[in-house]
Amino acid sequence: MIRRAIEHPGIRSLSRSSVCAVRPNLPDPSDEKAVDLYKLYRPERITPDKRGIELLKAPGLNKGMAFSLYERQYLGIHGLLPPAFMTEEQQAYRIMTRLREAPNDLARYGILDALQDRNEKLFYRVLCDNIKELMPIVYTPTVGQACQHFGNIYKNPKGLYITINDNSISKVTQILSHWPHKDVKAIVVTDGERILGLGDLGCYGIGIPVGKLALYVALAGVHPEWCLPVVIDVGTDNQSLLNDPMYTGLRRNRVRGAEYDKLLNNFMKAATKRYGMDTLIQFEDFGNSNAYRLLDRYQDKYCMFNDDIQGTASVVVAGLLACTRVTKKKLSQEKLVFLGAGGAATGVAEMCVRQMETEGLSEKDACDRIFLMDIDGLITKKRHNLSERHTRFAKDLPDTRNLLEVVKTVKPGGIIGASTVAGAFTEEIIREMAANNARPIIFALSNPTSKAECTAEAAYKFTNGSALFASGSPFPNVELNGKLYKPGQGNNAYIFPGVALGVILFKIHRVDNELFLMAARKVAESVTEKSLNTYSRIYPRLRDIRELSIKIAVEIAEHCYRNGTATLYPEPEDKEQFIRYQVYTVDYEELINRSYDWPAKDKQHGFPVPVMKRHSMDDE
């Protein structure tokens, strides 16, 4: 039970929302050290400088009809609001009622988008308390649909747009200075070239950084004012957008080459110049020709990562490690076939190699257990002009574009789809996997749902319920032979919020692949036996992600203080408590600081006034 703040002067009550209540109970007042730490770590309340209608237009401050009468009168908003008074819970009920009455998911996205524009706390309260229901709305798959229709639903600025015409450090810095929040700690940036499985959406890709950062807040407690979504607009090669009168981006084909590279360099320099070298910059949905190249260029110079490569790799390895608890075989004992060999798939393969190396295999032996197929078929040693990353996985096998043939030849323990080819895992392929494995691993990871290599129902049906299935976008539960299956979603949201939280709070200057492998292991450990054995679900429940993010952040902090990359000083004695006191709470807080008294003697009106001769009055 959380103690009431009134029981001990100076200690305020904390968030009690069911999903977002990650802060600890208030310290025992008799424990002086704990109280001192609490006062050191807790965020302090600052009375806002906005009043009246401007206050109601500030989504980070607005509470709508939850403002008390005293706040309404003191802050100059009495009469601007309807005379009703509501709790946050009542407001959340009204929003959820509207959402469930909406005709489709895109309409629900619009309702949540408008709510985020006017009342930030309520938006995150609704999202946190209904995360399983609403995460598919604020992120994949609905966010992809929202991006496709962004020109029709655009209302208010959600992030910053930096174009190829702003190509200098000074110009980019000017744009960054227009963002209303100065204490930015995390940036998610995209150039819109490869939005989910939908391809080049150009400027419309802004919906992806907005959605990712909403999950930073909801799933890890990163403060909204620390977050900045950015789209780099260098044009689009999507002719339908260029011809669309509703399109809101530059109407030109994509700029590539030296000018593109210069813009990215200037952006990175300007962002760190304005916000500091420890600003976390997450790259999202860049095209295959740029994703790895930019990661290699910036990874050792800046605090950055690419979620499509490292985040995807981490969450897939987490799922594979959870599967090993069922198959009773180490990952290094499995053979894996990847359908798709782009940045995401190659990143997964490389992280599988790292995990296999920790289990005792050499790099070569680990690579030998991984088979990659791209649009031209199986990657073999006969191929010409292979990239260095693909060469290490090339096999001395006949060329073939037939996945079934590869499965029959290799007899893998798992097949992993990252191809965006819907239905690529056919009935015959799935049945072949079941014939070769007691518990076949089938991951259909392409987004959105319409691009998945197979459905959850197909995976369970054609393996008679033995499949260990995961998808990139959510699938409904499946009933088969009297058993309920709850398919796991290999969503990067299990990984990137916790990694970001640890990096931000402990001022970690470099995000290396080891952090993502640590996060993968923590996710795999967190899957309960009931999830694995009763429901065949290989990922934790979505409602547990925020607690999982805390655990990931603690582990990252311990690791980075050991290797010297964490620079927050002094090092917190209790890192978990430090994190819990820093995270964002969705409960409304008082906006007005409580007044306090001074000793009576110090409130006296100064000194006695001596008799002062008034020369002008004394003159005759």
Side-chain angles (χ1 to χ4, degrees):
M1 179 71 89
I2 296 179
R3 298 179 180 86
R4 300 295 296 173
I6 198 170
E7 293 178 11
H8 191 265
I11 297 180
R12 301 191 293 268
S13 60
L14 302 173
S15 174
R16 295 180 295 278
S17 178
S18 59
V19 175
C20 293
V22 296
R23 292 186 178 180
N25 288 350
L26 297 177
D28 184 343
S30 64
D31 187 341
E32 292 186 10
K33 184 176 180 180
V35 170
D36 286 344
L37 283 176
Y38 166 74
K39 291 181 178 180
L40 177 65
Y41 294 159
R42 73 180 179 191
E44 295 295 340
R45 182 188 301 124
I46 299 175
T47 301
D49 57 3
K50 290 183 171 63
R51 291 176 55 82
I53 195 71
E54 292 305 314
L55 178 70
L56 297 180
K57 290 180 179 179
L61 300 172
N62 184 25
K63 297 193 281 187
M65 285 179 277
F67 279 112
S68 68
L69 181 60
Y70 172 65
E71 286 176 319
R72 296 181 189 202
Q73 293 174 342
Y74 184 93
L75 296 170
I77 55 176
H78 187 46
L80 294 175
L81 293 168
F85 294 87
M86 294 184 186
T87 65
E88 190 177 13
E89 184 179 5
Q90 290 170 326
Q91 290 177 309
Y93 167 79
R94 287 161 54 91
I95 294 295
M96 287 305 300
T97 299
R98 286 187 60 204
L99 287 170
R100 289 169 179 168
E101 291 174 349
N104 54 55
D105 284 345
L106 190 58
R108 282 181 270 276
Y109 181 93
I111 292 170
L112 289 170
D113 180 66
L115 176 61
Q116 188 180 21
D117 281 343
R118 69 177 184 271
N119 187 332
E120 214 165 56
K121 288 272 189 184
L122 183 57
F123 169 79
Y124 286 111
R125 170 66 184 266
V126 169
L127 179 56
C128 285
D129 286 352
N130 304 276
I131 192 67
K132 183 175 181 180
E133 182 176 351
L134 297 183
M135 197 162 87
I137 307 299
V138 299
Y139 202 61
T140 180
T142 307
V143 71
Q145 189 181 2
C147 287
Q148 290 176 305
H149 297 89
F150 196 78
N152 295 307
I153 63 177
Y154 174 79
K155 296 183 181 70
N156 292 305
K158 290 285 191 180
L160 291 179
Y161 300 83
I162 297 169
T163 77
I164 194 67
N165 301 316
D166 309 309
N167 202 351
S168 76
I169 296 174
S170 295
K171 292 170 184 174
V172 175
T173 302
Q174 278 294 313
I175 293 172
L176 295 175
S177 72
H178 298 157
W179 187 245
H181 303 296
K182 308 307 177 188
D183 191 22
V184 170
K185 299 179 188 293
I187 298 172
V188 176
V189 60
T190 185
D191 71 352
E193 187 174 7
R194 193 192 63 81
I195 298 300
L196 300 174
L198 303 171
D200 187 350
L201 295 185
C203 182
Y204 282 0
I206 186 66
I208 297 298
V210 171
K212 285 281 186 179
L213 288 168
L215 298 184
Y216 268 47
V217 181
L219 302 180
V222 174
H223 288 248
E225 62 268 24
W226 295 351
C227 301
L228 171 58
V230 173
V231 66
I232 303 287
D233 189 351
V234 296
T236 177
D237 290 335
N238 186 333
Q239 195 60 43
S240 65
L241 290 181
L242 294 175
N243 295 335
D244 184 356
M246 303 303 290
Y247 183 56
T248 56
L250 290 180
R251 293 181 184 273
R252 59 183 293 174
N253 289 113
R254 278 192 173 273
V255 174
R256 302 185 186 276
E259 194 177 356
Y260 175 92
D261 287 352
K262 180 183 176 183
L263 178 59
L264 267 293
N265 286 337
N266 286 335
F267 166 72
M268 296 298 285
K269 291 174 182 177
T272 51
K273 180 179 181 179
R274 175 145 184 91
Y275 301 120
M277 287 301 296
D278 57 355
T279 305
L280 175 64
I281 303 176
Q282 174 180 326
F283 278 52
E284 192 71 34
D285 287 352
F286 282 74
N288 289 334
S289 61
N290 290 318
Y292 259 118
R293 189 173 64 85
L294 296 175
L295 178 62
D296 289 341
R297 176 188 296 174
Y298 297 130
Q299 189 173 26
D300 293 332
K301 297 179 182 178
Y302 297 97
C303 177
M304 63 81 63
F305 69 94
N306 184 303
D307 186 53
D308 302 301
I309 296 171
Q310 294 158 291
T312 300
S314 182
V315 78
V316 175
V317 170
L320 292 171
L321 291 176
C323 288
T324 65
R325 293 168 53 187
V326 178
T327 62
K328 308 303 180 185
K329 295 166 67 176
K330 293 181 179 180
L331 186 60
S332 55
Q333 295 174 294
E334 297 283 13
K335 291 180 181 178
L336 302 172
V337 171
F338 287 76
L339 183 64
T346 310
V348 175
E350 290 179 344
M351 191 157 290
C352 287
V353 169
R354 292 187 190 95
Q355 175 61 28
M356 290 178 180
E357 287 180 301
T358 67
E359 295 175 4
L361 290 188
S362 67
E363 179 185 346
K364 181 182 182 304
D365 288 342
C367 290
D368 286 346
R369 304 192 74 81
I370 293 172
F371 300 75
L372 300 183
M373 295 186 70
D374 62 11
I375 193 170
D376 296 317
L378 181 66
I379 293 180
T380 69
K381 294 180 179 179
K382 299 175 184 176
R383 287 270 197 105
H384 300 292
N385 301 321
L386 283 176
S387 69
E388 182 181 345
R389 282 195 155 93
H390 288 143
T391 299
R392 62 200 296 225
F393 297 108
K395 298 295 181 286
D396 192 11
L397 289 172
D399 291 328
T400 179
R401 295 188 179 188
N402 191 317
L403 176 59
L404 177 60
E405 183 180 327
V406 173
V407 169
K408 287 182 176 180
T409 301
V410 174
K411 293 182 169 45
I415 51 175
I416 298 171
S419 65
T420 70
V421 179
F425 293 168
T426 63
E427 177 180 349
E428 194 173 0
I429 290 171
I430 295 171
R431 290 191 184 279
E432 181 67 21
M433 286 295 297
N436 296 332
N437 301 276
R439 300 300 303 272
I441 298 168
I442 299 174
F443 285 8
L445 300 177
S446 292
N447 288 316
T449 311
S450 60
K451 302 284 187 179
E453 286 75 13
C454 71
T455 64
E457 183 179 11
Y460 294 127
K461 179 180 178 182
F462 300 141
T463 62
N464 198 30
S466 66
L468 295 168
F469 175 82
S471 59
S473 291
F475 277 99
N477 295 341
V478 176
E479 286 192 38
L480 180 68
N481 300 329
K483 181 177 178 179
L484 179 64
Y485 295 85
K486 296 185 176 182
Q489 183 187 354
N491 194 317
N492 296 17
Y494 286 107
I495 302 294
F496 70 79
V499 171
L501 180 64
V503 169
I504 291 167
L505 291 184
F506 296 98
K507 299 184 182 296
I508 295 167
H509 280 183
R510 184 174 183 274
V511 187
D512 59 33
N513 290 316
E514 183 63 27
L515 302 188
F516 287 95
L517 192 53
M518 290 166 52
R521 292 169 183 154
K522 183 58 69 175
V523 172
E525 291 171 10
S526 301
V527 183
T528 65
E529 291 297 325
K530 182 177 181 181
S531 285
L532 285 173
N533 298 318
T534 303
Y535 301 121
S536 293
R537 181 174 57 203
I538 61 173
Y539 286 101
R541 296 179 303 174
L542 289 176
R543 63 174 297 173
D544 296 331
I545 293 183
R546 198 160 187 192
E547 273 297 328
L548 178 59
S549 294
I550 298 288
K551 295 175 183 177
I552 290 172
V554 170
E555 191 149 323
I556 285 175
E558 297 285 3
H559 172 80
C560 290
Y561 274 109
R562 285 194 299 270
N563 69 16
T565 56
T567 62
L568 176 68
Y569 181 83
E571 179 181 349
E573 295 179 33
D574 187 332
K575 295 178 181 61
E576 182 176 342
Q577 188 182 55
F578 172 77
I579 293 170
R580 290 183 185 277
Y581 285 142
Q582 293 296 313
V583 294
Y584 180 73
T585 171
V586 300
D587 284 352
Y588 288 140
E589 297 174 347
E590 296 178 34
L591 295 184
I592 304 167
N593 270 324
R594 297 172 187 170
S595 61
Y596 53 94
D597 210 355
W598 280 19
K601 63 177 183 177
D602 290 334
K603 294 189 294 181
Q604 293 178 0
H605 295 152
F607 54 88
V609 180
V611 176
M612 180 178 290
K613 186 176 182 180
R614 295 175 173 81
H615 295 287
S616 60
M617 300 294 291
D618 291 340
D619 291 342
E620 291 186 3

